[in-house]
Amino acid sequence: MAEQNGFNQDQTQVEIAKFKTFRKQKHISRKIDLPWEYGKDRIVAMVRDPWWIFAYWEITPQREKAVREEIEKKGQHFERSVIRVYDITGLDSLDTLARAKYFDITLKNMARNWYVDVGAPERRVLVEIGIVSREGGFYALARSNIVNTPRFGISDMLDEEWMLSEEEYMRLFGASCGIDVVGKSSLELQELFHKRIEEWISSGGVFSLASHMLR
């Protein structure tokens, strides 16, 4: 008995020591300093939902300086920085980008990212960041990847690999309802479903589900 008590005391001391050790440990959050810039001229587009995309970018001072000098050489003048959003739905090649519909968003206050409303679901979109001159010229600084916004609603595309036959569906649904499906044909399962549903209705339970299934 003494040995047992000694064991219990030792075990208790171990547990207390573990607890104390845990309490003494401080929570250490690893501080990660991500750079604001990577020295690359780029703009990246990402889909948020059927109507919106998100774009973020980095333009180096060297790239902006070179484009501004190009504008001056052509006798034009800087007016504003913009992101130009192209709807290229139905276009076969970016060589026909000049025929694409687009709109501009004026950038202010050193913006580095933007949420863009593309207007409608199922659109193929790309974005350029650039400079518009007073004379109406557009000078691109960087071009994004192409993104495709999804349709709104449930997809009507079915994967045949995961489709169930009517009998398989009836068996799975029957099992979820507590019906013995072993050895039952599809017709027998339907009859059992109707009987179970009538029981639910008569008892006042799950009325909305039952009434929907009987239609």
Side-chain angles (χ1 to χ4, degrees), residues 120-177:
E122 297 185 275
R123 310 311 298 172
R124 192 164 183 250
V125 180
L126 71 80
V127 179
E128 287 184 330
I129 184 169
I131 295 173
V132 173
S133 69
R134 295 178 195 170
E135 293 75 17
F138 176 72
Y139 299 83
L141 295 166
R143 176 180 292 179
S144 79
N145 52 302
I146 298 172
V147 294
N148 296 277
T149 59
R151 62 172 290 166
F152 174 63
I154 300 174
S155 175
D156 57 2
M157 297 179 63
L158 301 176
D159 188 342
E160 295 182 1
E161 182 180 354
W162 299 101
M163 290 180 65
L164 294 175
S165 66
E166 181 180 353
E167 185 173 353
E168 290 173 326
Y169 173 79
M170 297 290 281
R171 290 185 180 281
L172 285 173
F173 188 73
S176 68
C177 296

Side-chain angles (χ1 to χ4, degrees), residues 7-214:
F7 173 78
N8 289 338
Q9 289 177 359
D10 292 342
Q11 185 66 23
T12 301
Q13 292 300 320
V14 169
E15 294 300 325
I16 292 174
K18 288 165 61 177
F19 177 74
K20 287 183 177 179
T21 302
F22 174 77
R23 291 296 298 270
K24 288 180 180 179
Q25 290 177 345
K26 294 182 179 179
H27 176 70
I28 301 174
S29 296
R30 185 175 59 177
K31 186 177 180 181
I32 301 176
D33 294 322
L34 296 176
W36 282 98
E37 299 176 349
Y38 292 88
K40 295 182 179 181
D41 301 299
R42 64 171 185 162
I43 179 169
V44 178
M46 304 170 63
V47 173
R48 194 193 79 167
D49 58 38
W51 293 273
W52 291 80
I53 66 171
F54 175 72
Y56 66 91
W57 57 86
E58 177 188 351
I59 302 299
T60 61
Q62 295 84 356
R63 173 62 176 162
E64 184 173 358
K65 180 181 178 182
V67 172
R68 283 177 176 263
E69 289 175 351
E70 181 185 352
I71 293 173
E72 292 176 0
K73 287 180 180 179
K74 293 186 177 181
Q76 298 187 14
H77 304 83
F78 172 90
E79 182 179 76
R80 56 197 172 104
S81 297
V82 302
I83 52 175
R84 179 161 289 188
V85 184
Y86 294 92
D87 185 338
I88 59 172
T89 307
L91 293 182
D92 297 329
S93 170
L94 292 184
D95 295 335
T96 57
L97 193 61
R99 295 195 289 108
K101 295 180 180 179
Y102 69 85
F103 60 89
D104 290 343
I105 299 174
T106 300
L107 301 176
K108 297 179 181 179
N109 302 325
M110 302 293 291
R112 299 176 68 92
N113 55 73
W114 209 273
Y115 284 98
V116 180
D117 182 356
V118 298
E122 297 185 275
R123 310 311 298 172
R124 192 164 183 250
V125 180
L126 71 80
V127 179
E128 287 184 330
I129 184 169
I131 295 173
V132 173
S133 69
R134 295 178 195 170
E135 293 75 17
F138 176 72
Y139 299 83
L141 295 166
R143 176 180 292 179
S144 79
N145 52 302
I146 298 172
V147 294
N148 296 277
T149 59
R151 62 172 290 166
F152 174 63
I154 300 174
S155 175
D156 57 2
M157 297 179 63
L158 301 176
D159 188 342
E160 295 182 1
E161 182 180 354
W162 299 101
M163 290 180 65
L164 294 175
S165 66
E166 181 180 353
E167 185 173 353
E168 290 173 326
Y169 173 79
M170 297 290 281
R171 290 185 180 281
L172 285 173
F173 188 73
S176 68
C177 296
I179 297 174
D180 181 11
V181 299
V182 178
K184 303 291 192 306
S185 67
S186 178
L187 182 59
E188 288 175 321
L189 288 172
Q190 290 185 42
E191 292 175 351
L192 288 172
F193 287 151
H194 280 274
K195 184 178 180 180
R196 179 61 58 86
I197 290 168
E198 288 172 355
E199 292 173 356
W200 285 342
I201 293 175
S202 62
S203 65
V206 201
F207 178 78
S208 60
L209 172 64
S211 60
H212 173 75
M213 292 178 63
L214 282 173

